Amino acid sequence: MPSDYPADGGIERNPAIRIRVGGVVLQDGLSRELGIGGLFQDRRELVAVLSPDGRVRHISGAAGDLLGYPPETLTGASLGEHIHPDDVEEAQHRLQLRVNAPAGSSGRAVFRFRHADGGWRWLEVTTRNALADPAIGGLVLNIRDISDHIALSERLRASEARYRTLAEAVPVGILQADSTGQVQFANARLAGITGLEPDRLLGRGWLDAVHPEDRERVAADWRLDSGGDAAATDFRFHDPDGTGADRRVLCQRIRLEDGGTIATITDVSEYVLTANALRLSEARNEAVLDTAADAILTVDEAGVLLSFNRAAEAMFGVAAGDLLWRPLDRLIPLADLREEGGIRLDFAPGQTTALVARDRAAEAERVDGTRFPVELSVSASEVEGRRLYTAILRDVTERRRAEAELLAAKEAAEAGNQAKSTFIATMSHELRTPLNAVIGFSQLLETQAGTAAAGGRQNDLVADCVGAIRQAGEQLLAIIDDILDMARVEAGGVSLVEGSVNLSALIERVVADLRFHATRQGVMVEVVADGDLPPVRGDDRRLGQALRNLLSNAIKFSHPGGPVSLSAGLAADGWVELTVRDRGVGMRQEDVAQALTPFGQIDQTVTRRHEGIGLGLPLALRLVEAHGGTLTLDSAPGQGCTATIRLPPSRIMTIAELLASMS
């Protein structure tokens, strides 16, 4: 039985015994006059008179419309026969109450009656005790069909049940408030979000859970104008115990027709934490990418550039904003960023990333068109079915240069080592040659000692032997001096004893020292010098040593009878030039560097024709450079060689400097 109707029989008492039946108010005396006919006259409701035992004495013609039975079918029968079995006991109890109630009292109840079509109808029955009325003598029933009302109520209750079920099932908090803003309903999810019991959320209690810093703003936002549209707002719920973390929520309100409000409150704390963690992760990744020394870039299968770090900007000379989300049609070939042969690499089970290449050699191009070598490692990955390629590029220009320099140094070291080995063998030969001369001529002098000589031939022979011994000794001394001087130069220990140098006298002395050597080689030395050569400031012995080495080389490599010239003068740029020129065997221009290398000789074979240990030219170069000058060789095979010493103008002494040095 619906709860809308009283279940206790609700007796009404009135001294005047005013009774409403079918909309007509009857006085007790009047009912006696009208009798049963007066009850049924012009009644839209079904009116029936029951005996105390529940049998129908009289029933109006509306029985056919209401219950589908003609009046005569129901008359004399117990009305309980048509009541729903579940309502029979209640109906009998109500009937007995009304029989025992005072005359004129009435009560109302709702029962289900069977319709003639077999269905059940909800009927509202108002019962009045008229047993004492002689004109009626029974219980008067006014019956009204409220089936539609009950069905509507049931649908409403079902709708409310569905709403409550939905409200409790959704993963968001729900508030329903009246037009004054007082909360009438809050679901369990909101209780979980706020940490308050559901009953504490009603009224304005839910605001107690709002963070103190947000409470005033939220309370102001909650008071909406009657015609205004509620906008979404966010705020924080504060743990009432103070032990938990604040919860960030998003509130969306909807205005109802009656002025009330329904609000959904979504807990976005995890989203905010995730978003913050994602932003932190992205910032960390960007920091790593931007501080990486290597260029890092990502492209998709179509070659569209998706990422480009700062190192890549510096490497290629272009800003990332000028390239991102555009096809990578330059900088580096796309084929170098993908699998070789165009065959897609399969990922291992459970993996979404695979290494495509490691330390792959490639060539890249800067935005200005400059090409440079790189090494790159490439990995492939898939994100939601989209294949991406990430490449780490390293500019290896400096490394390649260092490798080339290291290889050249290695080759130079090996060549130097070979040169030193050759030097040792050559030096032993060069030292043995003058020693053999010293020993041989000494033995010859011993055999001639004490013997008589005819004429002056003996004296001439002795003089030649002594001269040869002196020449061999000086040659041996020169070799030893060259070795010691080169060792000092290489160790950085050479020092100059500077003073005034008379170039004309120096040239004359050098030519005189090598006259015997030139005569033995059959070479004529020609000197061409300006008559007014200025004095220079320098080490007379070291400059003479350098010039002597150049002239010695020119004599040694000249053809017998060939000329060697030694010229000196001032160049047009003010430098002092000393030039030694021969017309001998010469050498290739690419061999000049080797000739200026210590212990380096163009002909290093055992059967080489020319003597020497390979220190003349390198030592001359070091001594000239110690004076701030330069030594250049200009040569061609078969055309001889021209060696030029140039001393800077700063070495030319003024009269004041010359006078100061003389004093």
Side-chain angles (χ1 to χ4, degrees), residues 166-304:
L166 179 63
E168 296 296 346
V170 293
V172 299
I174 295 180
L175 286 177
Q176 182 176 353
D178 59 18
S179 58
T180 66
Q182 299 294 313
V183 174
Q184 298 173 322
F185 168 77
N187 68 346
R189 175 57 182 161
L190 184 61
I193 295 175
T194 61
L196 297 178
E197 296 295 330
D199 55 347
R200 290 183 59 187
L201 298 173
L202 302 181
R204 298 182 66 82
W206 70 280
L207 288 172
D208 294 338
V210 177
H211 196 282
E213 297 177 2
D214 300 339
R215 192 171 299 155
E216 183 177 352
R217 174 176 60 86
V218 173
D221 290 344
W222 192 255
R223 295 188 293 269
L224 299 173
D225 296 335
S226 58
D229 295 331
T233 183
D234 67 288
F235 54 88
R236 293 166 294 172
F237 277 123
H238 185 64
D239 184 6
D241 297 332
T243 57
D246 296 337
R247 289 180 176 268
R248 175 75 62 175
V249 298
L250 182 66
C251 178
Q252 180 70 49
R253 290 164 290 170
I254 301 175
R255 175 71 68 178
L256 300 178
E257 293 181 356
D258 61 359
T261 303
I262 290 181
T264 60
I265 297 179
T266 305
D267 184 357
V268 295
S269 300
E270 292 298 326
Y271 170 78
V272 171
L273 290 176
T274 302
N276 289 338
L278 180 59
R279 282 194 292 269
L280 179 62
S281 176
E282 290 178 346
R284 194 162 49 237
N285 289 338
E286 289 180 0
V288 171
L289 291 177
D290 287 339
T291 55
D294 296 331
I296 303 176
L297 57 86
T298 302
V299 298
D300 61 11
E301 282 190 288
V304 175

Side-chain angles (χ1 to χ4, degrees), residues 582-604:
D582 68 75
R583 295 293 183 266
V585 296
M587 59 182 164
R588 297 177 303 174
Q589 195 61 37
E590 55 266 28
D591 292 332
V592 170
Q594 183 179 353
L596 293 173
T597 302
F599 313 115
Q601 291 181 319
I602 307 304
D603 184 7
Q604 294 189 348

